[in-house]
C-alpha cells in the first residue's frame, strides 16, 4: 500500500483542497494523512497536529515578518518571507510516507530550513502550487511582473525598491535549495500555473504536472432549485446571483468590478427581482450599500452541504477574480449545474467553456462581466464539469506522478 502525507497549514488557505485530496486517496485505497499546524480539521480526517511549539514559533515569525512587511504595497496582495518554521520531519507519518505533499505551508508553519529537512528524507516531495509562492521571491501572485522567470529583485511589493531586496534573498535561497535535490516535483492545478512553473527559473528544471483540484462529486451535485431556495427563505420566482470570497476586499478578488457590473445590470432587470447571496465573509455595511439588490450575507460556511445548496439556489455564480489559480468555487458551482461568469485570467478559462457552461469576460471589463451575467440568466444555460476535472481522471494523473517518481503501484 502506498503511504502519502499532506502537509498543510490549516483547513483554510487551500486546506479544503488538501483535505479533499487526502479523502480521495483514502477512498482509492492509499494510506494517507494530513499534518497540520492548526487544529481546524475534523477529528475523523486522519490529521496529525504539529503541537504547541509550532504555534510559538509561528507567533514569533509573524511578529518579525509583520515588522518587515509594514510598508509593503498591499495592492499586490500577500507577500511571505519565510524566516522561522517547525521541523516536522521527525513525525512518524512523514517518515513512513512514500510521497510527501507540501500544500500551503506558510504563515510560520514551515520555513525553507524545515523544507530542507523534509527533502533530506530522500522521498518524493511534491510542491502543490495553490499559488505562486514556491516559484517567486515571496509574492503569492506576481500580477504583471515576470521577474520570477529570471531572478526576483527590485520587487514591486516593497515601497523602497532596490535590486538586492528581500525578494532577491529568498529567491536565491530557494534556488540553492531546489538545485541540491532531485526528489522535488511540482503540481500546478491550472494550465496557466503550469506554464508559470515551466517558465520560472526555480522550477523549470523539475518535473511539473498539471493536476486539477478534486471536489466531492457526491456533495456538489444538482438538487431541486426550489428546495435549495427554501433553505434560504428565497422565493423560487426571482433571480439569484451568488458571489463568494474569504475576503471581499482582497486585491485578488475584484470586488470593484463586481460592484460596477451589478450597477450595469440595473438597466436590464428589475432590482426587486434579484437576490444576491454573498458567502465566505460576514456582513459588510459598505459592500451592502454598494449592491443595488436584496442581499443575504451568509458568512463563512463550514460545511460543504450548505455551500452546495448556495450554488443550487443560484441562477449564476460570479467570480470577478483578478489573479487566481484554479478557484474551487468554480468547480463546485459547475458541478451543481450552475453556470459561472469570470474574467479571462489565471486558471479560470480552464474550467469555463465560453457560452457553454458559463461566460468568460474580458479582463477587468465590468460591462462584459455584466454581459456574462445577463447572458447566463437570459439563456438559462446549465453549468457542467469538464471531464478533466472528474475525480477518477484526476486520481489517474496522481498515479502517473507516482510512477515518474519511481513509486511501485503494485
Amino acid at each position: 500500500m502506498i503511504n502519502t502525507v499532506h502537509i498543510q497549514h490549516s483547513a483554510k488557505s487551500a486546506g479544503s483542497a488538501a483535505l479533499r485530496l487526502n479523502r480521495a486517496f483514502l477512498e482509492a485505497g492509499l494510506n494517507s494523512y494530513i499534518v497540520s499546524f492548526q487544529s481546524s480539521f475534523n477529528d475523523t480526517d486522519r490529521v496529525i497536529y504539529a503541537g504547541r511549539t509550532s504555534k510559538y514559533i509561528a507567533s514569533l515569525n509573524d511578529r518579525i515578518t509583520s515588522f518587515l512587511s509594514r510598508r509593503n504595497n498591499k495592492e499586490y496582495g500577500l507577500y511571505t518571507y519565510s524566516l522561522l518554521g517547525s521541523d516536522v520531519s521527525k513525525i512518524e507519518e512523514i517518515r513512513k510516507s512514500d510521497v510527501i505533499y507540501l500544500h500551503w505551508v506558510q504563515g510560520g508553519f514551515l520555513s525553507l530550513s524545515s523544507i530542507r529537512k523534509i527533502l533530506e528524507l530522500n522521498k518524493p516531495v511534491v510542491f502543490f502550487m495553490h499559488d505562486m509562492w514556491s516559484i517567486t521571491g515571496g509574492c503569492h501572485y506576481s500580477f504583471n511582473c515576470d521577474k520570477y522567470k529570471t531572478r526576483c529583485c527590485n520587487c514591486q511589493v516593497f515601497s523602497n525598491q532596490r535590486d538586492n531586496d528581500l525578494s532577491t534573498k529568498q529567491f536565491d535561497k530557494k534556488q540553492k535549495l531546489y538545485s541540491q535535490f532531485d526528489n522535488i516535483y511540482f503540481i500546478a492545478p491550472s494550465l496557466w500555473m503550469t506554464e508559470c512553473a515551466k517558465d520560472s527559473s526555480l522550477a523549470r528544471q523539475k518535473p511539473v504536472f498539471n493536476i486539477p483540484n478534486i471536489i466531492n462529486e457526491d456533495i456538489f451535485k444538482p438538487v431541486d432549485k426550489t428546495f435549495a431556495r427554501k433553505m434560504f427563505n428565497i422565493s423560487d420566482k426571482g433571480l439569484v446571483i451568488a458571489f463568494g470570497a474569504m475576503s471581499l476586499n482582497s486585491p485578488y478578488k475584484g470586488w470593484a468590478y463586481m460592484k460596477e457590473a451589478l450597477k450595469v445590470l440595473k438597466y436590464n432587470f428589475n432590482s426587486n427581482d434579484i437576490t444576491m447571496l454573498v458567502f465566505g465573509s460576514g456582513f459588510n455595511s459598505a459592500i451592502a450599500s454598494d449592491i443595488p439588490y436584496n442581499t443575504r450575507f451568509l458568512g463563512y460556511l463550514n460545511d460543504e452541504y450548505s455551500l452546495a445548496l448556495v450554488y443550487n439556489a443560484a441562477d449564476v455564480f460570479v467570480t470577478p477574480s483578478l489573479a487566481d489559480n484554479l478557484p474551487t468555487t468554480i468547480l463546485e458551482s459547475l458541478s451543481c449545474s450552475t453556470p459561472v461568469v469570470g474574467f479571462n485570467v489565471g486558471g479560470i478559462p480552464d474550467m469555463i467553456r465560453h457560452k457553454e457552461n458559463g461566460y468568460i469576460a474580458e479582463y477587468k471589463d465590468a460591462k462584459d462581466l455584466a454581459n456574462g451575467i445577463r447572458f447566463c440568466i437570459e439563456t438559462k444555460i446549465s453549468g457542467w464539469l469538464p471531464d478533466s476535472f472528474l475525480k477518477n481522471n484526476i486520481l489517474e494523473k496522481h498515479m502517473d506522478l507516482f510512477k515518474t517518481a519511481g513509486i511501485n503501484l503494485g
Side-chain angles (χ1 to χ4, degrees):
M1 180 182 291
I2 298 174
N3 298 304
T4 64
V5 65
H6 304 269
I7 306 177
Q8 163 64 27
H9 181 277
S10 64
K12 298 181 181 180
S13 62
S16 62
L19 177 60
R20 290 169 181 176
L21 184 57
N22 185 60
R23 288 175 177 172
F25 278 1
L26 290 170
E27 291 172 6
L30 280 65
N31 190 31
S32 193
Y33 288 89
I34 293 175
V35 172
S36 176
F37 166 69
Q38 289 187 355
S39 55
S40 52
F41 290 95
N42 294 324
D43 294 336
T44 57
D45 288 320
R46 303 188 76 177
V47 182
I48 296 96
Y49 297 107
R52 291 183 179 179
T53 303
S54 292
K55 292 186 177 181
Y56 172 78
I57 293 171
S59 177
L60 182 59
N61 177 80
D62 286 347
R63 287 200 293 270
I64 298 172
T65 55
S66 292
F67 175 78
L68 292 174
S69 63
R70 67 193 185 282
R71 296 175 181 169
N72 283 8
N73 188 342
K74 302 300 188 290
E75 176 186 351
Y76 298 105
L78 185 62
Y79 178 94
T80 298
Y81 188 70
S82 177
L83 287 173
L84 306 177
S86 299
D87 178 9
V88 297
S89 65
K90 296 178 182 178
I91 294 176
E92 184 179 4
E93 285 75 12
I94 292 178
R95 299 188 73 84
K96 288 184 176 180
S97 64
D98 297 303
V99 184
I100 300 169
Y101 281 74
L102 296 181
H103 290 270
W104 205 94
V105 294
Q106 288 76 54
F109 183 21
L110 298 189
S111 64
L112 293 178
S113 296
S114 308
I115 293 173
R116 174 180 291 278
K117 290 182 181 296
I118 294 170
L119 288 166
E120 288 173 347
L121 295 174
N122 201 30
K123 302 171 184 292
V125 176
V126 181
F127 288 73
F128 203 116
M129 300 176 64
H130 297 289
D131 55 37
M132 295 180 69
W133 185 84
S134 58
I135 60 170
T136 71
C139 67
H140 289 250
Y141 285 98
S142 68
F143 290 92
N144 61 346
C145 174
D146 61 0
K147 291 175 184 175
Y148 70 92
K149 295 180 180 180
T150 52
R151 185 181 184 229
C152 287
C153 65
N154 195 21
C155 181
Q156 61 189 1
V157 172
F158 306 135
S159 56
N160 55 337
Q161 293 182 342
R162 53 193 174 85
D163 287 342
N164 191 26
D165 57 17
L166 287 178
S167 71
T168 309
K169 291 180 172 63
Q170 184 159 243
F171 188 93
D172 289 349
K173 287 181 180 179
K174 289 180 182 178
Q175 189 92 67
K176 181 179 179 180
L177 177 66
Y178 294 176
S179 67
Q180 291 176 342
F181 293 92
D182 295 325
N183 54 328
I184 294 176
Y185 302 82
F186 288 87
I187 286 180
S190 66
L191 293 173
W192 165 74
M193 186 68 80
T194 302
E195 291 306 309
C196 288
K198 290 181 177 179
D199 289 342
S200 72
S201 177
L202 292 175
R204 69 166 60 106
Q205 301 301 324
K206 304 296 183 183
V208 179
F209 293 79
N210 171 224
I211 308 180
N213 295 320
I214 278 180
I215 64 166
N216 190 332
E217 298 163 22
D218 294 326
I219 295 177
F220 294 98
K221 61 183 179 181
V223 300
D224 181 69
K225 191 174 291 293
T226 300
F227 168 78
R229 291 189 176 185
K230 190 175 293 185
M231 294 297 99
F232 298 105
N233 195 26
I234 298 173
S235 170
D236 60 355
K237 295 181 180 180
L239 301 172
V240 176
I241 301 172
F243 168 74
M246 288 289 293
S247 175
L248 295 177
N249 294 318
S250 164
Y252 305 132
K253 298 306 179 185
W255 167 249
Y257 297 93
M258 179 73 173
K259 178 176 67 175
E260 290 304 311
L262 294 176
K263 289 180 180 179
V264 172
L265 285 176
K266 285 177 60 179
Y267 299 100
N268 302 108
F269 300 101
N270 187 325
S271 297
N272 295 326
D273 293 337
I274 295 180
T275 297
M276 283 285 300
L277 286 182
V278 181
F279 63 90
S281 178
F283 178 78
N284 184 309
S285 58
I287 288 176
S289 64
D290 285 333
I291 300 177
Y293 311 112
N294 178 39
T295 306
R296 303 281 183 86
F297 284 86
L298 303 178
Y300 179 75
L301 300 176
N302 290 300
D303 68 287
E304 294 181 330
Y305 293 98
S306 297
L307 192 53
L309 283 174
V310 173
Y311 297 121
N312 275 283
D315 293 288
V316 60
F317 173 66
V318 187
T319 175
S321 295
L322 303 181
D324 224 328
N325 186 0
L326 195 83
T328 53
T329 51
I330 294 180
L331 297 176
E332 292 164 352
S333 182
L334 294 176
S335 193
C336 292
S337 292
T338 300
V340 181
V341 178
F343 285 132
N344 187 16
V345 67
I348 292 175
D350 293 8
M351 299 171 282
I352 301 176
R353 303 292 184 263
H354 187 54
K355 293 188 176 182
E356 295 179 23
N357 65 350
Y359 189 99
I360 297 291
E362 291 297 319
Y363 188 55
K364 292 187 176 182
D365 188 333
K367 289 184 179 179
D368 201 27
L369 198 68
N371 288 338
I373 298 171
R374 185 173 61 250
F375 173 85
C376 290
I377 290 174
E378 292 179 344
T379 61
K380 297 182 179 180
I381 64 170
S382 293
W384 43 267
L385 205 61
D387 288 346
S388 58
F389 296 96
L390 297 176
K391 181 167 66 175
N392 289 339
N393 293 335
I394 293 172
L395 285 173
E396 189 174 320
K397 289 187 175 183
H398 283 279
M399 297 306 111
D400 290 340
L401 187 157
F402 293 169
K403 290 177 186 177
T404 301
I407 303 298
N408 184 2
L409 304 182

